[in-house]
Amino acid sequence: MKPVPNKGVLDIDVYVPGKSQAPAGIKLHKLSSNETPLGPPPAAREAALAAAANLEFYPDGQATRLKQAIAETHGLNPQNILCGNGSDELLGLLCQCYLSPGDEAIHTEHGFLVYHIQILARGATPVVAPEKDARTDVDAILARVTEKTKLVFLANPNNPTGTYIPFDEVRRLHAGLPPHVILVLDAAYAEYVRRNDYGAGIELVSDFQNVVMTRTFSKIYGLAALRIGWMYGPEEIVSTLDRVRGPFNLNAMAIAAGAAAIRDRAFLDKAVAFNAEWLEWTTKALEGLGLSVTPSVGNFILIHFPGMPGKGAAEADAFLTARGYILRRVAGYGFPNALRMSIGTEEANRGVVAALDEFLQGGTA
Ligand SMILES: *Cc1c(COP(=O)(O)O)cnc(C)c1O
């Protein structure tokens, strides 16, 4: 006899985060976790440090200041917002509140791994919808909906592919779902997208009882270390998750920094413009080397390596790591021969391109 965890838990492979270690003495360029090279807005850092003066007090369990700042910035009702310890926590809470053993939840073929992990953690069954050219296929998702389906997870844009589907496709997906199924729109990279046909999901959430949108401060706002996410949803779903979350799930530094960050619109514009410039530059430069790059609207790109021996993703990864450029292996996402690169500083982007040029011309680590 020994303690046995719940059904599903031991089917989970532990999430392996992006590496963050360069060889000794070599400058590290961490391009493995889609963090921003620009850091957070200075006011956010100052707010976090000011909050650190009172560490003996519990934080505001309702994260009122942060909710208020989010509500004002996006024109939303604070009642429809729930903050989380990163949006990862909110994805987990959705599974905790709406999935039981035997239920099904759908995610896409190359979808964010946290969905799969959290579905299994509830003893529920992950159902995988194939993608087309590394892009969400709405019909493939709809074809997999059954009476047991409770949740549909869609990262739009998706990580690690960087691809997106237009908002009318998201609407078509929603229209095809029965009303008991919650559509979870994970818009972690929404701020970066510069496409007229894109929508993060706010309008859908406002109009229906079975759609939620999750957002994060970890990516464009540069606050990954503090763990801040939020969900916009119908009051019934928001209040359901609210019952189950930890009473102080956001710490005081996170609340203060998040509220300051989201109010700095000039910072956001600067970050979007910087990313757009270097996303395009890096994509074109890598294509110029003969590599194929999945078209991305996020702050990262998926680089595919040729099949020749010695020129695969594993060898490229070793070659780059030896030079201080840390990218992300994505075999666990179904891309054994690709690397995901976050857009970094100008120095980092130029450095990766130069190193891969050398690698393809025959260099070895
Ligand atoms: C990074 C990321 C998140 C999680 O962000 P946190 O708020 O840091 O938990 C969620 N979804 C996707 C698709 C991401 O890439």
Side-chain angles (χ1 to χ4, degrees):
M1 293 291 275
K2 58 174 188 170
V4 175
N6 290 337
K7 175 176 180 288
V9 173
L10 295 183
D11 298 330
I12 298 171
D13 293 324
V14 172
Y15 183 87
V16 183
K19 289 180 294 177
S20 54
Q21 211 88 71
I26 290 185
K27 181 170 175 186
L28 169 75
H29 295 280
K30 184 170 188 273
L31 307 171
S32 56
S33 299
N34 298 345
E35 295 139 337
T36 172
L38 305 179
R45 195 190 305 268
E46 282 157 28
L49 291 175
N54 301 296
L55 295 182
E56 68 276 33
F57 297 120
Y58 277 98
D60 168 14
Q62 308 300 322
T64 314
R65 277 173 66 193
L66 178 57
K67 263 188 217 170
Q68 200 60 43
I70 294 168
E72 280 170 27
T73 305
H74 289 276
L76 308 174
N77 182 343
Q79 306 260 69
N80 295 101
I81 296 172
L82 186 73
C83 295
N85 191 248
S87 51
D88 284 352
E89 183 191 25
L90 298 164
L91 300 170
L93 285 169
L94 284 161
C95 291
Q96 193 178 343
C97 293
Y98 290 95
L99 295 180
S100 299
D103 289 341
E104 295 175 359
I106 301 176
H107 65 78
T108 66
E109 183 182 357
H110 305 294
F112 189 45
L113 282 176
V114 167
Y115 314 145
H116 198 79
I117 292 172
Q118 293 295 343
I119 296 163
L120 285 173
R122 309 319 309 176
T125 307
V127 175
V128 180
E131 299 182 12
K132 257 192 197 143
D133 294 331
R135 195 164 162 272
T136 295
D137 178 352
V138 166
D139 295 304
I141 296 176
L142 291 176
R144 281 160 182 79
V145 175
T146 71
E147 272 163 25
K148 294 181 187 164
T149 309
K150 294 285 172 62
L151 299 171
V152 172
F153 288 101
L154 177 68
N156 197 35
N158 185 40
N159 168 17
T161 55
T163 59
Y164 80 107
I165 56 171
F167 198 47
D168 56 6
E169 278 289 281
V170 178
R171 281 192 185 281
R172 191 167 73 81
L173 170 59
H174 173 262
L177 296 175
H180 74 273
V181 175
I182 300 176
L183 175 60
V184 182
L185 299 172
D186 178 349
Y189 301 95
E191 293 86 355
Y192 283 114
V193 184
R194 302 215 298 186
R195 291 288 191 284
N196 289 333
D197 59 358
Y198 175 76
I202 288 180
E203 299 87 338
L204 264 183
V205 175
S206 305
D207 289 349
F208 297 97
Q209 291 304 306
N210 65 333
V211 190
V212 300
M213 171 189 74
T214 59
R215 302 285 284 259
T216 183
F217 283 77
S218 301
K219 304 289 158 60
I220 203 160
Y221 289 112
L223 292 170
L226 289 179
R227 317 299 307 123
I228 316 168
W230 57 282
M231 183 182 88
Y232 174 54
E235 260 184 75
E236 217 172 298
I237 298 178
V238 166
S239 69
T240 299
L241 270 58
D242 209 18
R243 295 164 201 261
V244 172
R245 70 175 172 90
F248 304 102
N249 59 338
L250 268 85
N251 69 73
M253 293 167 83
I255 294 169
I262 204 168
R263 290 206 155 98
D264 192 341
R265 305 321 282 168
F267 172 88
L268 188 77
D269 293 345
K270 220 179 63 190
V272 171
F274 177 90
N275 184 67
E277 179 186 347
W278 287 99
L279 177 70
E280 189 187 342
W281 184 89
T282 312
T283 302
K284 287 197 172 141
L286 293 172
E287 286 173 346
L289 300 180
L291 293 168
S292 121
V293 178
T294 303
S296 170
V297 296
N299 67 329
F300 55 90
I301 46 179
L302 192 60
I303 311 168
H304 303 271
F305 288 84
M308 291 110 72
K311 291 284 169 262
E315 291 89 353
D317 187 39
F319 191 87
L320 290 166
T321 299
R323 285 153 186 79
Y325 302 105
I326 313 299
L327 276 63
R328 180 67 179 269
R329 295 291 311 272
V330 280
Y333 280 99
F335 296 108
N337 210 22
L339 293 177
R340 190 192 67 195
M341 171 190 174
S342 311
I343 297 301
T345 59
E346 171 173 355
E347 181 193 358
N349 302 330
R350 290 188 186 278
V352 169
V353 170
L356 285 178
D357 190 11
E358 197 189 326
F359 169 73
L360 292 168
Q361 293 188 30
T364 47

